């Protein structure tokens, strides 16, 4: 709306409530001013009353443009057309792009994520997500193992600690890693010499 608040008249008995004084004179607002606690609520209440017959049915489609603008005209409210855009093929709204093809995430909002370099190791994975996940260090407590052959990694395995194992001393956790790993890869290790 063009000067939306300034289009609402203040009731005569309430004018005294929003007066102000300067060095030179005493002034009274005859119209709604910005900064009043109730200004937004009063303005939205008025707009809702103006559009009451149409709320939750439309106020979006181009066929209804005249129906939407007519109540504004009848109530002597004026729209600021520089703030309007008509017949757009898509609309950005709350981080989404809404179009005839459906609702998609706004590419501008996710460009940083899309352009991230993939993490190369466990430490980089942790650094990417640590700031976004509350209690990440507790969630990500893991026993990390790898199977090597001739110095090359063949496979990785990890698991989260069970709650009762979080209090184990380090040497018990290391032994648990060995036992777990031998169980997981017994088919690869059976009958072979290996180094732990």
């Amino acid at each position: 709306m063009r000067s939306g608040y300034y289009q609402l008249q203040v009731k005569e008995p309430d004018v005294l409530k929003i007066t102000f004084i300067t060095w030179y004179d005493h002034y009274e607002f005859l119209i709604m001013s910005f900064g009043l606690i109730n200004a937004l609520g009063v303005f939205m209440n008025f707009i809702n009353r103006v559009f009451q017959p149409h709320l939750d049915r439309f106020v979006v489609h181009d066929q209804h443009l005249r129906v939407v603008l007519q109540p504004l005209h009848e109530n002597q409210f004026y729209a600021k057309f520089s703030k309007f855009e008509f017949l757009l093929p898509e609309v950005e709204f709350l981080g989404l792009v809404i179009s005839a093809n459906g609702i998609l995430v706004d590419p501008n909002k996710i460009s940083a994520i899309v352009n991230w370099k993939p993490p190369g190791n466990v430490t980089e994975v942790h650094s990417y997500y640590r700031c976004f996940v509350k209690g990440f260090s507790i969630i990500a407590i893991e026993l990390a193992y790898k199977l090597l052959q001739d110095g090359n990694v063949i496979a990785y395995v990890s698991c989260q600690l069970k709650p009762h194992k979080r209090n184990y001393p380090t040497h018990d956790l290391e032994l648990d890693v060995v036992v777990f790993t031998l169980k997981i890869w017994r088919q690869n290790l059976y009958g072979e010499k290996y180094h732990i």
Side-chain angles (χ1 to χ4, degrees), residues 56-176:
D56 298 325
R57 291 181 35 221
F58 64 85
V59 185
V60 181
H61 201 278
D62 64 330
Q63 294 174 353
H64 303 113
L65 187 58
R66 183 173 300 283
V67 176
V68 170
L69 294 178
Q70 189 63 35
L72 293 177
H73 178 71
E74 290 168 3
N75 289 279
Q76 297 180 346
F77 259 68
Y78 302 98
K80 187 171 187 177
F81 280 95
S82 64
K83 292 186 176 182
F84 282 78
E85 295 178 293
F86 297 101
L87 305 172
L88 298 174
E90 61 185 30
V91 176
E92 293 176 12
F93 182 70
L94 298 176
L96 302 172
V97 177
I98 303 166
S99 69
N101 299 329
I103 299 174
L104 303 170
V105 176
D106 184 352
N108 296 327
K109 301 292 183 191
I110 60 168
S111 61
I113 296 170
V114 170
N115 296 327
W116 266 353
K117 186 185 85 171
N121 57 42
V122 173
T123 305
E124 289 181 10
V125 171
H126 288 190
S127 68
Y128 274 107
Y129 298 106
R130 183 175 304 277
C131 61
F132 300 111
V133 180
K134 184 178 179 180
F136 181 84
S137 59
I138 294 170
I139 295 168
I141 291 175
E142 60 183 27
L143 305 173
Y145 350 100
K146 56 187 175 186
L147 181 61
L148 299 168
Q149 184 174 16
D150 299 326
N152 297 316
V153 177
I154 297 173
Y156 290 100
V157 175
S158 66
C159 70
Q160 284 190 329
L161 289 174
K162 302 275 190 256
H164 67 279
K165 290 186 179 181
R166 290 189 181 156
N167 296 324
Y168 281 17
T170 304
H171 62 276
D172 284 350
L173 289 173
E174 290 172 350
L175 183 59
D176 192 48

Side-chain angles (χ1 to χ4, degrees), residues 9-66:
Q9 281 192 318
V10 176
K11 291 181 181 176
E12 186 69 35
D14 296 329
V15 168
L16 293 174
K17 297 175 186 173
I18 54 173
T19 60
F20 64 96
I21 299 172
T22 69
W23 288 107
Y24 308 107
D25 212 344
H26 170 94
Y27 295 95
E28 298 176 344
F29 277 103
L30 301 178
I31 55 175
M32 184 71 70
S33 71
F34 288 88
L36 295 176
I37 291 175
N38 294 338
L40 176 62
V42 170
F43 181 74
M44 288 308 302
N45 182 46
F46 181 80
I47 293 298
N48 284 339
R49 282 188 284 122
V50 168
F51 289 111
Q52 185 61 45
H54 314 299
L55 290 179
D56 298 325
R57 291 181 35 221
F58 64 85
V59 185
V60 181
H61 201 278
D62 64 330
Q63 294 174 353
H64 303 113
L65 187 58
R66 183 173 300 283

